[in-house]
Amino acid sequence: MLALRLARGSRPVVQLRRLLVAAASAGTGFLLLYVLVGAVDRPAGSFPRLLWALVPLAATVHFAVAVARADPATRPREGLDAAGLGPVRLTLAAAISTAVSCTLGSALALAVFLHLRGDLAGLPFDGSGARLLHAEQPLPLAAALTLLGLVPVTASAATVLALRPHRPLAPQTALPWGIALTACGLAVEAYAGRDGGGVLAGWALTAVGLALAGPGLAYACGSLVQAVRPGALRLLAGRSLQEQASRIGPPLGVLCSVAAGALTALALRDRGGLHVPLGPLAWPAAALVALCAAATLLTSAVEGRGSGAAGREAALLDLAAPARVLRTAAGLRATALVAVCLPLSWGVAQLTSLALTR
């Protein structure tokens, strides 16, 4: 009941984020159901299809956790401990809210899936959806509900792990591990060639490595902005970026890995492309992953502004600083991140292309 009351009293922006989580969960649930009916129709090769479907699942869970972290209702405030709302209960409330959003998305995915198959009423789109979704094969209800439950269960568990009280690591500490995992991912891709499972394992290691290296990269961007006799504007932008490095770094690294994967696919398009065993839903799945990664980064950036940056900006405005200074500092931070992340994504894509064409 507490989670429902907090959700009902949230601001429209927070409600919109939860609706986006539900939409991402619906897309992932639809993809999992598509893989399920494909496995019923053609059992051979179903396991690689399921492994590739886990990529949108991971992106959706990452986005759901970012939304839960940015929810003002889950932040500890003075006086709440006396009312019995300590960090543990707030974390559980955030997990329940995340599970509710993801469950709504999964239910929507099941309804749309059954409608396109003609299992509910009629056949829309002249039956093209029925052919794509193998309507001639029965849908195993227990397996379908199990797959649809993956998103709510995984997202709520990840929310509990992310919001539990713990000491964050310094951004520079994880940077060597991230570089090492990225190198391991490239080595796995070079060894496996264009085999679907090997490419997926290598890309997953690369994505985890870039996510671990992301905070260090963001911190380095802040140092770069402040380099060589900085003025007040560059100091403001650089130090704000360094303070937000631990929040925006992981989604920034994931977005870099998604961009590198897209550039790799474009580079290998004229050489036979990559073998992604998801059939016609391969490109929608890739779009879902990219949108989730971008939304996660934006949500984490908003969360960073709502923590310490809001007080700093209010203090500057009280000192009669013009509002354009804050906008210019934000633009400078974004420019520094783009200037570092675009070459990084391009370089990883080039190395991946070379590894896959050996």
Side-chain angles (χ1 to χ4, degrees), residues 89-102:
R89 289 200 65 184
L90 289 177
T91 299
L92 292 178
I96 294 173
S97 177
T98 301
V100 170
S101 298
C102 294

Side-chain angles (χ1 to χ4, degrees), residues 137-189:
Q137 298 291 339
L139 179 65
L141 184 59
L145 294 179
T146 300
L147 287 178
L148 289 176
L150 282 178
V151 180
V153 172
T154 308
S156 57
T159 299
V160 171
L161 291 177
L163 296 184
R164 75 189 192 283
H166 64 284
R167 180 180 299 177
L169 295 176
Q172 299 90 339
T173 303
L175 184 59
W177 294 102
I179 296 174
L181 278 179
T182 302
C184 290
L186 294 174
V188 169
E189 291 174 350

Side-chain angles (χ1 to χ4, degrees), residues 38-60:
V40 174
D41 184 66
R42 289 183 298 130
S46 59
F47 186 67
R49 289 194 295 269
L50 179 60
L51 288 180
W52 277 97
L54 294 181
V55 176
L57 172 64
T60 301

Side-chain angles (χ1 to χ4, degrees), residues 173-221:
T173 303
L175 184 59
W177 294 102
I179 296 174
L181 278 179
T182 302
C184 290
L186 294 174
V188 169
E189 291 174 350
Y191 177 78
R194 298 196 189 184
D195 175 68
V199 171
L200 177 60
W203 185 84
L205 285 175
T206 301
V208 173
L210 290 176
L212 286 176
L217 292 175
Y219 193 91
C221 288

Side-chain angles (χ1 to χ4, degrees), residues 236 240 244 305 308-318 321 326 330 333:
L236 174 63
S240 298
Q244 299 178 19
R305 286 192 60 188
R312 186 188 307 106
E313 292 178 0
L316 290 175
L317 292 177
D318 291 340
L326 302 179
R333 293 195 297 268

Side-chain angles (χ1 to χ4, degrees), residues 52 182 185-186 189-190 193-194 199-200 202-203 206-207 210 255-276 283 286 342-358:
W52 277 97
T182 302
L186 294 174
E189 291 174 350
R194 298 196 189 184
V199 171
L200 177 60
W203 185 84
T206 301
L210 290 176
L255 187 60
C256 287
S257 64
V258 172
L263 292 175
T264 302
L266 291 176
L268 297 178
R269 182 177 53 184
D270 298 333
R271 307 175 191 175
L274 293 175
H275 177 60
V276 181
W283 284 110
L342 278 184
L344 174 65
S345 301
W346 180 84
V348 173
Q350 293 299 312
L351 292 175
T352 304
S353 301
L354 291 174
L356 294 178
T357 53
R358 291 188 56 184

